[in-house]
Amino acid sequence: GTVMFFTWIGVTLLADNTNVNSAGMQVNSGFTTFSTAIYTMFTSSIGDDFVDNFNPTFTQDRRYGILWITCLFLSNFLFLNLILAMIFEKYAERYTLEMRRMQH
């Protein structure tokens, strides 16, 4: 949900922005279509190529940093907690089964 929300914001802000920033990069790189934007935001949210995806927009306007940092923080915070909760749940189930087996 978090990635989709920030994808929607990114496409809304950047899809029609055909400017080239001071570093010579297309500002809407990775946000030209909704499907490419999903890929861009997903790979950025897991930390892969974050800087490469972040640079074109951030170099153009520093305010885009708010979008990127918020997305990165929320997606990493939510994903990490979800993964840890799943691991703990499986561990607790396994531990309970082992304890029952040892008692019988």
Side-chain angles (χ1 to χ4, degrees):
T2 306
V3 171
M4 294 300 281
F5 176 72
F6 284 101
T7 298
W8 173 72
I9 291 173
V11 168
T12 302
L13 294 173
L14 297 166
D16 296 330
N17 189 342
T18 57
N19 296 334
V20 175
N21 63 20
S22 60
M25 297 180 278
Q26 183 101 13
V27 173
N28 69 348
S29 176
F31 290 95
T32 53
T33 65
F34 194 73
S35 59
T36 58
I38 289 173
Y39 178 77
T40 299
M41 292 306 281
F42 180 75
T43 56
S44 296
S45 69
I46 59 174
D48 189 33
D49 292 334
F50 176 76
V51 174
D52 293 337
N53 295 330
F54 173 81
N55 264 342
T57 54
F58 188 72
T59 306
Q60 174 69 23
D61 190 347
R62 300 287 191 236
R63 290 178 288 181
Y64 286 119
I66 297 168
L67 169 74
W68 284 103
I69 297 302
T70 305
C71 176
L72 183 67
F73 174 75
L74 288 177
S75 59
N76 281 333
F77 180 73
L78 294 176
F79 287 154
L80 181 60
N81 284 332
L82 177 64
I83 290 169
L84 288 175
M86 290 171 42
I87 291 170
F88 177 75
E89 180 183 6
K90 291 298 178 185
Y91 173 77
E93 286 175 10
R94 197 75 151 138
Y95 181 77
T96 303
L97 287 173
E98 280 295 318
M99 293 307 286
R100 286 183 186 160
R101 188 178 308 148
M102 290 176 71
Q103 290 175 353
H104 294 287

